[in-house]
Amino acid sequence: MRTIVLFTLLTVSFAYTAVPSSTDRNCGSLYGVFLDAETGQGVGGIQVLLNEIKRSGVTHEDGHFFLPAIPMGTYTVQTFRIGYKNIVKNIAINRCDTIRVEFHIFKAPIMLNAVMVDAEEENTLDFVMDKNPVELEGKRLRRQLGRTIAETLVNEPGIDQRTMGPAPARPVLRGLSGDRLLVLEDGERTGDLSATSADHAVVIEPMTAERVEVIRGPEALLYGSNTIGGVINVDRGYVPTTNLDHWHGTVSYQGESVNNGHSSGIKVNLPAGPFSMHVDASMRNTQDIKTPKKKLLNTSIITNNASLGMSIVRPWGLLGVAGSLYDSEYGIPGGFIGAHKSGVDVELNRRHFEAKSEFYFQNDWIKRVNARYNFSRYYHLEREANGIPGIEFGVLNYNFSLMARLKDHPHFKNGEVGLWSEYRDFAAGVYAFTPQAVEKKIAGFAFQEFILGRFGIKAALRYDVLQVIPQQEKYDKKIGYIQNRNFSDFSGSFAAIYEINRHLHYGTTVMKSFRSPGIEELYSRGPHLAAYSFEIGNPSLGKEQGIGIETFLHFEGQPGNAQIALFRNNISGYVFPKNTGQLDYSTLLPVYQYSGSNVIIEGCELAFELLPWQFIAFSGSMSYVYGEMDSGEAMPLMPPLHGKLDVQLLWNQTTIGFRARAADEQTRLGRFEEYTAGFTVYDLMGQYLLNVGHYLSSINLTIENITNQEYRKHLSRVKAVMPEPGRNVKLLFRIYF
């Protein structure tokens, strides 16, 4: 690791002294100012983003900004600032020129994602094709910020969360979770084990996240072959992607009453000579959760997270490195079948290193080439309440990717081709008997968008090869012959979108997915302490292959937007831990055997945002999922019909909101599952934006479950012991500087 760091730093230093400066003949600059449309005063703190090359900057207090060393070409400028409308505008950067622009920006203290269209000919088909189904940033992200990424996203359409206490929560998208739903950090794997078991936490702290997005369809295949459920990407910005001429950032504090919890975080981007630097740090300390019945014991969380990144940006591209650490201790409650009476304590840590490079080209085919290397070391230890170790896991994860972004041509845009590889070294210890094993993966992929008149088409193709190599091939009388396994297959997706009129679009997506079983599914044998199960692998498992179809209708205009989607996923060889109904008498744990089945998962989603008047906004969503195995049994762990309705009152810099969350009863139960009753829960929310000098502050106050209602969620394993959290007063205070 030391060699890699030294080599990267030497490369960065050499690049700084040996390459052209920002006066390169093939580069220009963008200089501009943002003025309040009502007062004419400069507006500071506006984030300015050049989409195509991911360059960004922030306006000074007087509203001015400067982006140097931009390769010549046409770019889409996007802006974001709390309390103002977003702007989308095309800008042409010519050779050696400094382009000067002036924007008049309008206040918009509303919840909708408002867009200023640059001209009448602006193509709304482009907007719909580029729009992700879920995008959380700014005000919307602050309003929904939770203890985990799963809790932050849980009220979005199609999303639920699988929980075994507040810390080990993982998103569920359209009934799919585990590694069928990739959770990424800055577009790369996290290296944790959250996809393998309900007791494992996701090692992403939401406090310092910049943006969270859900990616579906052909774009999802850029990240993995098993993305029929989709991809959740958390943008952290570890490696800076722009030159900085001043420092800026945020300081945040969050407190909540339901667990006497306190969280804080700081994020700073600053210039450091020829370099740009990113620094962030956060901590979270919460006690046991209070429910309407009583406290749910052993649900405390202590988490510390920090990162440091550095880059050098030049006309030819950028070079950067970053490192981060994540340490957490949390509890798994006890009291249900197979559980220790006092629960189990989990300690985990992750160390992460990233090197990133980006090079621009002046030719007719390639716009830029990205190369990335990621390393993570993950360690996880589970202890009984008396401190005796039960099981430990260790994972070394190495990723390398090389991707070329193609130049846009008439009708063709956003083309990408690339290679991706992963080396994963897995080991388990103490009372676990899963053999040490290595996974080797390599994949090639391509993606392209095509627009012709009112038709938009996206297509992606990917080929993956995987080898699973146990440390020793042998016969195990409990699970069978442990041996090397090899898997490979194509995956692909095609999406077509038709512009019925300027505001209404219809689309259909078809996807073929491929997933190979993991080390734990193939070779597990032994008790899993915190999961309260005795797990038995299946070395003869085959690969999963899925066919997914989605059709949707999208409306975007005044007075709001709406979308309805229908989907059906047919997956053969679906792997899951099946409850055998037996007990392992040496540990008194229920036995789960990994097995495969053909399954069908289908459902629908509805989401809308409505602003009938300037002072009131409505939004809501509804999701339904139906899962069935080829035996005719219901699939386990399927979320019931659920949804939400938001009403917000808007007045200058103040927003007051009311939310109703509801779920139907779940009567379609898998084997050994328990019935869950329906519920309706009410929340109150308020936000106030405050300008003090040159600084903007945001105060968010939320009261969740205002009636302190007792209710249970179907995907919570803790529901047999205790209901969901009771009334919770939550405050988030954030300063932007």
Side-chain angles (χ1 to χ4, degrees), residues 372-555:
R372 296 182 67 174
Y373 167 79
N374 283 268
F375 165 78
S376 67
R377 180 186 66 81
Y378 176 84
Y379 177 74
H380 176 119
L381 175 65
E382 301 172 6
R383 297 179 182 273
E384 298 181 28
N386 56 13
I388 298 176
I391 189 170
E392 64 178 351
F393 300 99
V395 182
L396 298 177
N397 211 79
Y398 307 83
N399 291 109
F400 175 77
S401 63
L402 182 66
M403 185 172 66
R405 180 70 177 265
L406 306 181
K407 284 281 184 69
D408 292 347
H409 291 275
H411 308 304
F412 290 92
K413 57 177 288 189
N414 297 332
E416 296 185 43
V417 294
L419 295 171
W420 175 85
S421 63
E422 180 178 61
Y423 180 92
R424 182 172 180 258
D425 190 348
F426 171 91
V430 190
Y431 292 108
F433 303 103
T434 304
Q436 182 176 347
V438 167
E439 284 182 350
K440 299 178 181 179
K441 299 179 182 179
I442 188 168
F445 55 84
F447 171 83
Q448 183 66 66
E449 291 185 9
F450 175 78
I451 294 180
L452 182 61
R454 292 189 170 188
F455 281 98
I457 294 173
K458 301 179 184 181
L461 186 65
R462 183 184 180 100
Y463 186 74
D464 287 72
V465 177
L466 167 69
Q467 188 176 26
V468 186
I469 309 170
Q471 187 179 44
Q472 180 182 3
E473 293 190 318
K474 62 180 181 179
Y475 179 78
D476 187 304
K477 62 181 181 180
K478 287 187 177 293
I479 67 173
Y481 188 50
I482 297 175
Q483 59 182 324
N484 293 359
R485 297 295 308 276
N486 296 284
F487 304 92
S488 62
D489 206 344
F490 282 98
S491 51
S493 182
F494 177 87
I497 301 174
Y498 176 66
E499 184 183 59
I500 299 173
N501 58 46
R502 185 174 179 80
H503 303 293
L504 192 62
H505 297 79
Y506 170 79
T508 298
T509 300
V510 179
M511 175 179 283
K512 177 192 178 296
S513 67
F514 155 65
R515 176 184 178 270
S516 56
I519 293 172
E520 302 88 336
E521 295 167 329
L522 292 169
Y523 308 135
S524 289
R525 183 173 72 82
H528 190 158
L529 185 67
Y532 305 130
S533 60
F534 191 96
E535 297 174 354
I536 300 177
N538 186 346
S540 63
L541 287 171
K543 60 188 178 184
E544 287 184 15
Q545 297 186 85
I547 299 294
I549 301 175
E550 176 185 354
T551 184
F552 69 86
L553 193 64
H554 179 87
F555 173 83

Side-chain angles (χ1 to χ4, degrees), residues 14-47:
F14 173 78
Y16 175 62
T17 59
V19 301
S21 70
S22 60
T23 59
D24 189 285
R25 294 185 50 143
N26 291 324
C27 291
S29 302
L30 181 62
Y31 176 81
V33 61
F34 283 85
L35 303 175
D36 188 295
E38 297 178 5
T39 67
Q41 299 295 314
V43 181
I46 297 177
Q47 296 180 1

Side-chain angles (χ1 to χ4, degrees), residues 608-648:
F608 72 91
E609 294 180 326
L610 182 64
L611 185 70
W613 303 283
Q614 288 296 319
F615 61 88
I616 189 168
F618 301 91
S619 67
S621 65
M622 183 277 294
S623 305
Y624 174 71
V625 178
Y626 175 98
E628 185 172 276
M629 296 188 288
D630 56 2
S631 62
E633 296 180 59
M635 281 188 66
L637 299 176
M638 287 290 106
L641 173 69
H642 64 282
K644 67 162 187 177
L645 175 64
D646 283 0
V647 181
Q648 294 196 45

Side-chain angles (χ1 to χ4, degrees), residues 500-736:
I500 299 173
N501 58 46
R502 185 174 179 80
H503 303 293
L504 192 62
H505 297 79
Y506 170 79
T508 298
T509 300
V510 179
M511 175 179 283
K512 177 192 178 296
S513 67
F514 155 65
R515 176 184 178 270
S516 56
I519 293 172
E520 302 88 336
E521 295 167 329
L522 292 169
Y523 308 135
S524 289
R525 183 173 72 82
H528 190 158
L529 185 67
Y532 305 130
S533 60
F534 191 96
E535 297 174 354
I536 300 177
N538 186 346
S540 63
L541 287 171
K543 60 188 178 184
E544 287 184 15
Q545 297 186 85
I547 299 294
I549 301 175
E550 176 185 354
T551 184
F552 69 86
L553 193 64
H554 179 87
F555 173 83
E556 187 84 30
Q558 292 296 335
N561 62 73
Q563 177 166 303
I564 184 169
L566 305 174
F567 62 90
R568 178 184 173 93
N569 298 322
N570 193 329
I571 305 175
S572 62
Y574 181 91
V575 178
F576 67 101
K578 184 177 181 179
N579 190 332
T580 64
Q582 302 174 349
L583 283 178
D584 177 74
Y585 292 105
S586 62
T587 60
L588 298 180
L589 292 172
V591 176
Y592 286 80
Q593 167 82 56
Y594 283 98
S595 59
S597 175
N598 297 333
V599 303
I600 293 175
I601 302 174
E602 54 191 6
C604 63
E605 295 168 6
L606 170 67
F608 72 91
E609 294 180 326
L610 182 64
L611 185 70
W613 303 283
Q614 288 296 319
F615 61 88
I616 189 168
F618 301 91
S619 67
S621 65
M622 183 277 294
S623 305
Y624 174 71
V625 178
Y626 175 98
E628 185 172 276
M629 296 188 288
D630 56 2
S631 62
E633 296 180 59
M635 281 188 66
L637 299 176
M638 287 290 106
L641 173 69
H642 64 282
K644 67 162 187 177
L645 175 64
D646 283 0
V647 181
Q648 294 196 45
L649 301 176
L650 317 164
W651 183 70
N652 292 334
Q653 304 299 313
T654 303
T655 303
I656 298 175
F658 169 82
R659 170 176 291 167
R661 296 178 281 133
D664 196 9
E665 62 180 358
Q666 182 57 286
T667 57
R668 296 198 76 255
L669 306 175
R671 187 176 298 182
F672 306 109
E673 274 196 296
E674 299 176 359
Y675 164 83
T676 308
F679 63 85
T680 303
V681 178
Y682 305 102
D683 309 324
L684 287 175
M685 299 163 286
Q687 176 178 272
Y688 180 69
L689 300 178
L690 176 67
N691 282 291
V692 179
H694 297 307
Y695 301 107
L696 173 70
S697 299
S698 170
I699 303 171
N700 287 70
L701 180 65
T702 304
I703 306 176
E704 300 172 330
N705 191 7
I706 57 178
T707 62
N708 201 37
Q709 179 179 333
E710 181 178 324
Y711 70 103
R712 287 168 167 80
K713 288 189 173 182
H714 186 66
L715 299 189
S716 169
R717 284 191 64 183
V718 183
K719 67 180 181 180
V721 180
M722 207 69 66
E724 292 294 303
R727 184 184 300 110
N728 183 25
V729 180
K730 187 161 62 174
L731 172 69
L732 173 65
F733 179 68
R734 180 166 290 175
I735 300 175
Y736 297 79

Side-chain angles (χ1 to χ4, degrees), residues 315-319 357-361 366-371:
W316 46 264
L318 70 87
L319 291 174
S357 63
E358 189 171 279
F359 302 95
Y360 302 111
F361 292 84
I366 298 177
K367 180 181 294 184
R368 69 174 186 266
V369 173
N370 294 358

